[in-house]
Amino acid sequence: MELIDTHCHLTFEQLADDVQAVVTRSIAAGVVGWLTVGTDPQQNRKAIELADKFENMYASVGIHPHDAKDLTADTLTELKELAQSEKVVAIGETGLDFHYNLSPQPDQKRAFVAQLTIAKQLNLPVIIHCREAFDQTMEILDRHGHGLKAVVFHCFSGSAEQAKIVLDYGFYISFTGVVTFKNAELTRRAAKIVPADRLMLETDCPYMSPEPMRKQKINEPALMIHTAKYLAELKGMDLADFANAVTATSKTFFGLP
Ligand code: NI
């Protein structure tokens, strides 16, 4: 089995000190590729540095909605430069988070639109973070999303109805270990309607270890195998067939070899 963790934060302090061990455990578990996702200027630089050190590790660069308030013209210029590094395969994560509102909503919207523009200019796919802002996110994508190479809603936690809207736009959906949680019935219903050729897997580690490992405080890519098993069973698919299908989807989406 050769799974790809399409959204992890290996540069975050919980994991950064021992990435070699994290990678070794991941490969042993069948998770053999990683996309370490940038969230602010410092993390973007670290993500590229790290990806440069490992085979099958890639990076994305973006400004998380939490950090949108700090976005300047210089930050955007640097983001665009970094996005042209060899190992960078996507813009993000970007989007709207109206749950925490750590940045004012107008700042979040401005940063989101600016990053969509860069993604279009460089023909890179976009990783969307959307929390309690589904309608507003779709409105921005409706207005500014034309000409984007590809779009994925990461850590999807919406309803089946929302998943259908996302799929109707031609976008992709990726699931974390959250789908294995007892109280995630809504997310499970959404996962059932997402076909494997539009579905990707991720850990979003160091956060949110999947069941039955939820007690492991620091999540890591090796644990993604539990999410893969869970979703294969939910969809009534053989694990190997499901894994092959979502890996093919991930490679196509991010243009990986
Ligand atoms: Ni993330």
Side-chain angles (χ1 to χ4, degrees), residues 65 90 124 160 193:
L124 286 169
I193 71 150

Side-chain angles (χ1 to χ4, degrees), residues 192 227-239 242:
K192 277 186 188 161
T227 309
K229 281 180 185 162
Y230 188 92
L231 276 174
E233 201 176 310
L234 184 77
K235 298 177 88 59
M237 285 178 78
D238 175 69
L239 177 60
F242 177 69

